mmCIF file of all heavy atoms in Angstrom:
data_model
loop_
_atom_site.group_PDB
_atom_site.id
_atom_site.type_symbol
_atom_site.label_atom_id
_atom_site.label_comp_id
_atom_site.label_asym_id
_atom_site.label_seq_id
_atom_site.Cartn_x
_atom_site.Cartn_y
_atom_site.Cartn_z
ATOM 1 N N ALA A 14 3.441 -0.362 12.398
ATOM 2 C CA ALA A 14 2.547 0.407 11.533
ATOM 3 C C ALA A 14 2.215 -0.437 10.309
ATOM 4 O O ALA A 14 3.011 -0.529 9.383
ATOM 5 C CB ALA A 14 3.211 1.713 11.119
ATOM 6 N N PRO A 15 1.033 -1.068 10.298
ATOM 7 C CA PRO A 15 0.651 -1.872 9.134
ATOM 8 C C PRO A 15 0.170 -0.975 7.999
ATOM 9 O O PRO A 15 -0.777 -0.217 8.159
ATOM 10 C CB PRO A 15 -0.492 -2.744 9.674
ATOM 11 C CG PRO A 15 -1.082 -1.951 10.781
ATOM 12 C CD PRO A 15 0.031 -1.129 11.368
ATOM 13 N N TYR A 16 0.848 -1.039 6.855
ATOM 14 C CA TYR A 16 0.455 -0.245 5.701
ATOM 15 C C TYR A 16 -0.569 -1.027 4.887
ATOM 16 O O TYR A 16 -0.382 -2.206 4.580
ATOM 17 C CB TYR A 16 1.651 0.058 4.804
ATOM 18 C CG TYR A 16 2.611 1.096 5.356
ATOM 19 C CD1 TYR A 16 2.401 1.699 6.591
ATOM 20 C CD2 TYR A 16 3.720 1.479 4.633
ATOM 21 C CE1 TYR A 16 3.276 2.650 7.081
ATOM 22 C CE2 TYR A 16 4.611 2.427 5.123
ATOM 23 C CZ TYR A 16 4.387 3.011 6.341
ATOM 24 O OH TYR A 16 5.269 3.949 6.831
ATOM 25 N N SER A 17 -1.646 -0.339 4.531
ATOM 26 C CA SER A 17 -2.698 -0.916 3.701
ATOM 27 C C SER A 17 -3.015 0.048 2.577
ATOM 28 O O SER A 17 -2.663 1.221 2.630
ATOM 29 C CB SER A 17 -3.962 -1.174 4.525
ATOM 30 O OG SER A 17 -3.712 -2.055 5.590
ATOM 31 N N LYS A 39 1.863 -11.778 -4.438
ATOM 32 C CA LYS A 39 2.723 -12.527 -3.526
ATOM 33 C C LYS A 39 2.934 -13.952 -4.020
ATOM 34 O O LYS A 39 4.073 -14.439 -4.066
ATOM 35 C CB LYS A 39 2.089 -12.533 -2.124
ATOM 36 C CG LYS A 39 2.922 -13.252 -1.069
ATOM 37 C CD LYS A 39 4.208 -12.521 -0.752
ATOM 38 C CE LYS A 39 4.958 -13.153 0.398
ATOM 39 N NZ LYS A 39 6.208 -12.455 0.714
ATOM 40 N N TYR A 44 5.549 -9.634 -5.838
ATOM 41 C CA TYR A 44 5.666 -8.810 -4.637
ATOM 42 C C TYR A 44 7.083 -8.893 -4.076
ATOM 43 O O TYR A 44 7.707 -7.870 -3.768
ATOM 44 C CB TYR A 44 4.641 -9.241 -3.584
ATOM 45 C CG TYR A 44 4.788 -8.481 -2.289
ATOM 46 C CD1 TYR A 44 4.100 -7.288 -2.080
ATOM 47 C CD2 TYR A 44 5.641 -8.936 -1.276
ATOM 48 C CE1 TYR A 44 4.248 -6.578 -0.893
ATOM 49 C CE2 TYR A 44 5.789 -8.230 -0.099
ATOM 50 C CZ TYR A 44 5.094 -7.051 0.077
ATOM 51 O OH TYR A 44 5.267 -6.346 1.252
ATOM 52 N N ASP A 45 7.611 -10.100 -3.925
ATOM 53 C CA ASP A 45 8.959 -10.266 -3.360
ATOM 54 C C ASP A 45 10.011 -9.611 -4.246
ATOM 55 O O ASP A 45 10.988 -9.049 -3.749
ATOM 56 C CB ASP A 45 9.276 -11.748 -3.172
ATOM 57 C CG ASP A 45 8.489 -12.366 -2.024
ATOM 58 O OD1 ASP A 45 7.640 -11.672 -1.424
ATOM 59 O OD2 ASP A 45 8.713 -13.553 -1.736
ATOM 60 N N TYR A 48 9.745 -5.899 -3.609
ATOM 61 C CA TYR A 48 10.242 -5.633 -2.257
ATOM 62 C C TYR A 48 11.774 -5.589 -2.266
ATOM 63 O O TYR A 48 12.392 -4.674 -1.700
ATOM 64 C CB TYR A 48 9.736 -6.699 -1.300
ATOM 65 C CG TYR A 48 9.833 -6.330 0.161
ATOM 66 C CD1 TYR A 48 8.716 -5.851 0.840
ATOM 67 C CD2 TYR A 48 11.028 -6.451 0.864
ATOM 68 C CE1 TYR A 48 8.783 -5.510 2.188
ATOM 69 C CE2 TYR A 48 11.106 -6.109 2.201
ATOM 70 C CZ TYR A 48 9.989 -5.637 2.855
ATOM 71 O OH TYR A 48 10.066 -5.295 4.180
ATOM 72 N N ALA A 49 12.389 -6.578 -2.899
ATOM 73 C CA ALA A 49 13.856 -6.620 -2.973
ATOM 74 C C ALA A 49 14.402 -5.430 -3.752
ATOM 75 O O ALA A 49 15.449 -4.873 -3.408
ATOM 76 C CB ALA A 49 14.305 -7.930 -3.610
ATOM 77 N N PHE A 52 13.795 -2.321 -1.180
ATOM 78 C CA PHE A 52 14.277 -2.379 0.203
ATOM 79 C C PHE A 52 15.538 -3.221 0.354
ATOM 80 O O PHE A 52 16.024 -3.404 1.468
ATOM 81 C CB PHE A 52 13.169 -2.911 1.122
ATOM 82 C CG PHE A 52 11.924 -2.081 1.066
ATOM 83 C CD1 PHE A 52 10.815 -2.521 0.375
ATOM 84 C CD2 PHE A 52 11.879 -0.835 1.668
ATOM 85 C CE1 PHE A 52 9.666 -1.749 0.295
ATOM 86 C CE2 PHE A 52 10.740 -0.052 1.599
ATOM 87 C CZ PHE A 52 9.625 -0.507 0.911
ATOM 88 N N ALA A 56 16.639 -7.705 2.839
ATOM 89 C CA ALA A 56 15.437 -7.473 3.641
ATOM 90 C C ALA A 56 14.441 -8.606 3.429
ATOM 91 O O ALA A 56 14.244 -9.075 2.309
ATOM 92 C CB ALA A 56 14.800 -6.137 3.261
ATOM 93 N N LEU A 57 13.841 -9.055 4.504
ATOM 94 C CA LEU A 57 12.862 -10.135 4.431
ATOM 95 C C LEU A 57 11.521 -9.567 3.978
ATOM 96 O O LEU A 57 10.949 -8.719 4.660
ATOM 97 C CB LEU A 57 12.726 -10.808 5.799
ATOM 98 C CG LEU A 57 11.895 -12.083 5.855
ATOM 99 C CD1 LEU A 57 12.541 -13.181 5.015
ATOM 100 C CD2 LEU A 57 11.737 -12.543 7.299
ATOM 101 N N PRO A 58 10.991 -10.010 2.827
ATOM 102 C CA PRO A 58 9.713 -9.466 2.345
ATOM 103 C C PRO A 58 8.583 -9.711 3.331
ATOM 104 O O PRO A 58 8.575 -10.712 4.056
ATOM 105 C CB PRO A 58 9.472 -10.240 1.035
ATOM 106 C CG PRO A 58 10.801 -10.764 0.641
ATOM 107 C CD PRO A 58 11.549 -11.012 1.918
ATOM 108 N N TYR A 59 7.633 -8.797 3.340
ATOM 109 C CA TYR A 59 6.479 -8.944 4.220
ATOM 110 C C TYR A 59 5.683 -10.186 3.816
ATOM 111 O O TYR A 59 5.512 -10.479 2.631
ATOM 112 C CB TYR A 59 5.589 -7.696 4.149
ATOM 113 C CG TYR A 59 4.378 -7.802 5.048
ATOM 114 C CD1 TYR A 59 4.519 -7.709 6.428
ATOM 115 C CD2 TYR A 59 3.116 -8.040 4.530
ATOM 116 C CE1 TYR A 59 3.427 -7.823 7.266
ATOM 117 C CE2 TYR A 59 2.011 -8.152 5.357
ATOM 118 C CZ TYR A 59 2.177 -8.046 6.724
ATOM 119 O OH TYR A 59 1.093 -8.176 7.553
ATOM 120 N N ALA A 60 5.181 -10.907 4.802
ATOM 121 C CA ALA A 60 4.423 -12.143 4.557
ATOM 122 C C ALA A 60 2.956 -11.804 4.296
ATOM 123 O O ALA A 60 2.111 -11.915 5.183
ATOM 124 C CB ALA A 60 4.563 -13.093 5.739
ATOM 125 N N VAL A 61 2.660 -11.344 3.075
ATOM 126 C CA VAL A 61 1.280 -11.028 2.708
ATOM 127 C C VAL A 61 0.423 -12.278 2.930
ATOM 128 O O VAL A 61 0.759 -13.367 2.475
ATOM 129 C CB VAL A 61 1.195 -10.580 1.236
ATOM 130 C CG1 VAL A 61 -0.255 -10.392 0.808
ATOM 131 C CG2 VAL A 61 1.995 -9.297 1.032
ATOM 132 N N GLU A 62 -0.691 -12.109 3.647
ATOM 133 C CA GLU A 62 -1.550 -13.250 3.977
ATOM 134 C C GLU A 62 -2.229 -13.790 2.720
ATOM 135 O O GLU A 62 -2.796 -13.030 1.930
ATOM 136 C CB GLU A 62 -2.601 -12.830 4.991
ATOM 137 C CG GLU A 62 -3.520 -13.960 5.419
ATOM 138 C CD GLU A 62 -4.608 -13.516 6.382
ATOM 139 O OE1 GLU A 62 -4.809 -12.298 6.546
ATOM 140 O OE2 GLU A 62 -5.265 -14.394 6.965
ATOM 141 N N PHE A 119 8.051 2.019 -4.554
ATOM 142 C CA PHE A 119 7.423 0.731 -4.241
ATOM 143 C C PHE A 119 5.911 0.776 -4.430
ATOM 144 O O PHE A 119 5.320 -0.082 -5.098
ATOM 145 C CB PHE A 119 7.778 0.347 -2.802
ATOM 146 C CG PHE A 119 7.198 -0.965 -2.343
ATOM 147 C CD1 PHE A 119 7.594 -2.165 -2.915
ATOM 148 C CD2 PHE A 119 6.264 -0.998 -1.316
ATOM 149 C CE1 PHE A 119 7.059 -3.371 -2.484
ATOM 150 C CE2 PHE A 119 5.736 -2.206 -0.871
ATOM 151 C CZ PHE A 119 6.132 -3.389 -1.462
ATOM 152 N N GLN A 178 -6.033 -5.551 3.049
ATOM 153 C CA GLN A 178 -5.171 -6.254 3.982
ATOM 154 C C GLN A 178 -3.802 -5.581 3.992
ATOM 155 O O GLN A 178 -3.453 -4.809 3.090
ATOM 156 C CB GLN A 178 -5.042 -7.715 3.568
ATOM 157 C CG GLN A 178 -4.292 -7.940 2.264
ATOM 158 C CD GLN A 178 -4.318 -9.404 1.858
ATOM 159 O OE1 GLN A 178 -5.285 -9.881 1.302
ATOM 160 N NE2 GLN A 178 -3.238 -10.105 2.134
ATOM 161 N N THR A 179 -3.026 -5.855 5.015
ATOM 162 C CA THR A 179 -1.695 -5.265 5.134
ATOM 163 C C THR A 179 -0.777 -5.791 4.034
ATOM 164 O O THR A 179 -0.759 -6.970 3.737
ATOM 165 C CB THR A 179 -1.090 -5.600 6.510
ATOM 166 O OG1 THR A 179 -1.948 -5.058 7.526
ATOM 167 C CG2 THR A 179 0.310 -5.030 6.667
ATOM 168 N N TYR A 180 -0.016 -4.862 3.428
ATOM 169 C CA TYR A 180 0.953 -5.267 2.409
ATOM 170 C C TYR A 180 2.381 -4.844 2.755
ATOM 171 O O TYR A 180 3.323 -5.175 2.028
ATOM 172 C CB TYR A 180 0.562 -4.720 1.027
ATOM 173 C CG TYR A 180 0.764 -3.231 0.858
ATOM 174 C CD1 TYR A 180 1.894 -2.726 0.207
ATOM 175 C CD2 TYR A 180 -0.166 -2.318 1.336
ATOM 176 C CE1 TYR A 180 2.077 -1.370 0.047
ATOM 177 C CE2 TYR A 180 0.013 -0.963 1.181
ATOM 178 C CZ TYR A 180 1.134 -0.487 0.526
ATOM 179 O OH TYR A 180 1.327 0.862 0.375
ATOM 180 N N PHE A 181 2.549 -4.148 3.873
ATOM 181 C CA PHE A 181 3.884 -3.751 4.320
ATOM 182 C C PHE A 181 3.815 -3.463 5.808
ATOM 183 O O PHE A 181 2.828 -2.913 6.294
ATOM 184 C CB PHE A 181 4.353 -2.502 3.564
ATOM 185 C CG PHE A 181 5.768 -2.075 3.902
ATOM 186 C CD1 PHE A 181 6.845 -2.642 3.248
ATOM 187 C CD2 PHE A 181 6.012 -1.125 4.885
ATOM 188 C CE1 PHE A 181 8.139 -2.256 3.568
ATOM 189 C CE2 PHE A 181 7.304 -0.745 5.203
ATOM 190 C CZ PHE A 181 8.366 -1.316 4.543
ATOM 191 N N GLN A 182 4.860 -3.841 6.543
ATOM 192 C CA GLN A 182 4.911 -3.599 7.986
ATOM 193 C C GLN A 182 6.033 -2.627 8.290
ATOM 194 O O GLN A 182 7.201 -2.904 7.997
ATOM 195 C CB GLN A 182 5.144 -4.910 8.736
ATOM 196 C CG GLN A 182 5.115 -4.778 10.244
ATOM 197 C CD GLN A 182 3.705 -4.636 10.787
ATOM 198 O OE1 GLN A 182 2.859 -5.459 10.520
ATOM 199 N NE2 GLN A 182 3.456 -3.597 11.548
ATOM 200 N N ASP A 183 5.691 -1.496 8.850
ATOM 201 C CA ASP A 183 6.686 -0.516 9.258
ATOM 202 C C ASP A 183 6.657 -0.418 10.781
ATOM 203 O O ASP A 183 5.868 -1.095 11.434
ATOM 204 C CB ASP A 183 6.367 0.839 8.619
ATOM 205 C CG ASP A 183 7.582 1.746 8.519
ATOM 206 O OD1 ASP A 183 8.668 1.347 8.984
ATOM 207 O OD2 ASP A 183 7.460 2.853 7.973
#
Side-chain angles (χ1 to χ4, degrees):
Y16 286 1
S17 301
K39 182 68 174 180
Y44 176 90
D45 288 4
Y48 197 99
F52 302 104
L57 188 64
Y59 180 72
V61 174
E62 181 183 12
F119 180 66
Q178 67 185 81
T179 300
Y180 72 99
F181 184 85
Q182 184 76 55
D183 203 358

